[in-house]
């Protein structure tokens, strides 16, 4: 595995791979890798000749009061893990490499409307513009055939797919199912912030999604009823504070009332100071 820090060096290596007729898979991450990231990388390796992964904590997608400064970072450990998962080129640009004049001075951005306004977009203004802008930059640098994203960030997947479709980008977006701990907690780099008691409390996210799944399997078709049952379960957990409970059409992310089509049940919950997200799709 080669570790590359500059755009120019990465482009040269990718040009060479493409000249050799190789396909390129790409896994963008913010690092502090866990089994969720590694699953994306392994799938990319199984499907493509060359796997590029990026580790970049993107300042553009963090709000002023969010956790950019304290977001966990460990490049040494990440390099070993990425290599073990089959990554060929690990792109770890410093912020100045991605934003030479500073991210606040970027004059160009890419923004997907409508589907970015609800769910995480409502509580994190500007977040998705930061995501689509950096993913656009990364796609232009890597020119991947396939790019792999986790269903853990369901809205992100929908937003990236929309961007790729609307802008005729030459990349196939692959969504990979959520990887969980054995007790149900969705893997996240932010889980490291949780104390032991918070870690226990955090199980309320997956538990309430299981409840929603059972209610849907049992015939419940009223989004309001589902939302109420989920809220009641989360509110019983003293360390948990609901950011949102969204029950939406799985494709359009428009709020559902009566459930007739595949539905996304998505949660954002603060456990102490840590904001966690989780979701499930009910296929019907
Ligand atoms: P992040 O480093 O949090 O930006 O995540 C990088 C990629 O890994 C994104 O596409 C995430 O959706 C994906 N990812 C993060 N956690 C998980 C998980 N538990 N299961 C599957 N994919 C994940």
């Amino acid at each position: 595995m080669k570790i590359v820090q500059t755009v120019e060096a990465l482009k040269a290596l990718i040009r060479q791979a493409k000249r050799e007729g190789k396909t390129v898979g790409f896994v963008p991450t913010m690092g502090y890798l866990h089994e969720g990231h590694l699953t994306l990388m392994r799938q990319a390796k199984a499907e493509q000749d060359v796997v590029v992964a990026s580790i970049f904590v993107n300042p553009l997608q963090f709000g002023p009061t969010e956790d950019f400064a304290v977001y966990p970072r460990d490049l040494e450990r990440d390099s070993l893990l990425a290599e073990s998962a089959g990554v060929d080129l690990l792109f770890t640009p410093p912020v100045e490499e991605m934003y030479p004049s500073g991210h606040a001075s970027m004059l160009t951005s890419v923004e997907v409307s409508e589907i970015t306004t609800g769910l995480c977009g409502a509580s994190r203004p500007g977040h998705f513009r930061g995501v689509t802008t950096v993913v656009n930059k990364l796609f232009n640098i890597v020119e991947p055939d396939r790019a792999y994203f986790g269903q853990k960030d369901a809205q992100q997947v929908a937003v990236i797919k929309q961007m790729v479709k609307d802008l005729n980008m030459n990349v196939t977006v692959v969504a990979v199912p959520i990887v969980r701990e054995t007790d149900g907690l969705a893997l996240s780099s932010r889980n490291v912030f949780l104390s032991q008691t918070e870690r226990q409390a955090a199980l309320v996210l997956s538990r309430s999604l299981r409840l929603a799944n059972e209610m849907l399997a049992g015939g419940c078709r009223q989004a309001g009823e589902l939302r109420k049952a989920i809220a009641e379960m989360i509110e019983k957990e003293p360390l948990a504070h609901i950011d949102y409970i969204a029950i939406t059409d799985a494709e359009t992310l428009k709020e559902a009332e009566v459930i007739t089509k595949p539905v996304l049940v998505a949660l954002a919950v603060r456990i102490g100071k840590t904001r966690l997200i989780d979701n499930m799709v009910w296929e019907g």
Side-chain angles (χ1 to χ4, degrees), residues 28-216:
T29 83
M30 298 203 299
Y32 213 72
L33 302 180
H34 53 63
E35 200 51 37
H37 300 114
L38 302 181
T39 303
L40 268 60
M41 293 168 182
R42 285 192 209 104
Q43 185 168 335
K45 189 62 183 176
E47 295 176 358
Q48 304 291 282
D49 299 324
V50 173
V51 175
V52 181
S54 59
I55 295 182
F56 181 59
V57 185
N58 172 34
L60 210 56
Q61 70 190 65
F62 286 79
T65 62
E66 293 181 358
D67 55 357
F68 174 74
V70 296
Y71 195 85
R73 293 157 168 93
D74 189 344
L75 263 184
E76 214 168 298
R77 177 174 159 275
D78 283 353
S79 315
L80 295 172
L81 289 171
E83 185 162 30
S84 76
V87 170
D88 299 290
L89 301 174
L90 187 64
F91 183 46
T92 60
V95 173
E96 314 81 72
E97 182 68 11
M98 292 297 280
Y99 304 116
S101 314
H103 70 281
S105 307
M106 277 281 282
L107 300 183
T108 308
S109 64
V110 178
E111 185 158 15
V112 175
S113 60
E114 275 192 36
I115 57 171
T116 53
T117 54
L119 290 80
C120 288
S123 34
R124 304 186 68 186
H127 168 68
F128 285 111
R129 187 179 35 216
V131 169
T132 41
T133 301
V134 81
V135 169
N136 212 302
K137 278 167 76 72
L138 290 166
F139 281 0
N140 286 335
I141 296 165
V142 177
E143 296 189 39
D145 296 283
R146 287 162 84 82
Y148 297 78
F149 291 86
Q151 185 60 29
K152 155 98 188 319
D153 299 88
Q155 189 176 17
Q156 175 169 276
V157 170
V159 169
I160 302 283
K161 280 188 172 166
Q162 189 72 44
M163 171 182 81
V164 164
K165 185 173 153 209
D166 287 349
L167 299 181
N168 302 94
M169 300 172 84
N170 288 320
V171 55
T172 302
V173 174
V174 182
V176 179
I178 302 177
V179 179
R180 299 178 178 281
E181 304 276 9
T182 41
D183 60 8
L185 182 67
L187 294 186
S188 163
S189 305
R190 288 189 170 97
N191 291 350
V192 71
F193 294 138
L194 302 171
S195 69
Q196 244 178 17
T197 18
E198 288 173 340
R199 168 75 182 65
Q200 270 310 106
L203 292 176
V204 77
L205 280 89
S206 53
R207 198 161 64 238
S208 62
L209 290 174
R210 279 201 300 278
L211 170 70
N213 192 52
E214 278 162 26
M215 288 177 71
L216 285 158

Side-chain angles (χ1 to χ4, degrees), residues 226-275:
L226 275 182
R227 190 177 294 107
K228 185 161 171 279
I230 294 172
E232 278 171 8
M233 181 175 269
I234 298 175
E235 279 158 6
K236 277 200 201 111
E237 174 49 67
L239 295 179
H241 298 278
I242 298 169
D243 177 353
Y244 66 76
I245 299 169
I247 298 164
T248 74
D249 182 285
E251 295 264 300
T252 62
L253 303 190
K254 287 212 167 81
E255 217 169 289
E257 279 180 27
V258 179
I259 296 159
T260 53
K261 290 190 279 199
V263 73
L264 170 75
V265 182
L267 312 173
V269 177
R270 275 185 298 108
I271 304 287
K273 283 191 181 136
T274 310
R275 182 178 176 279

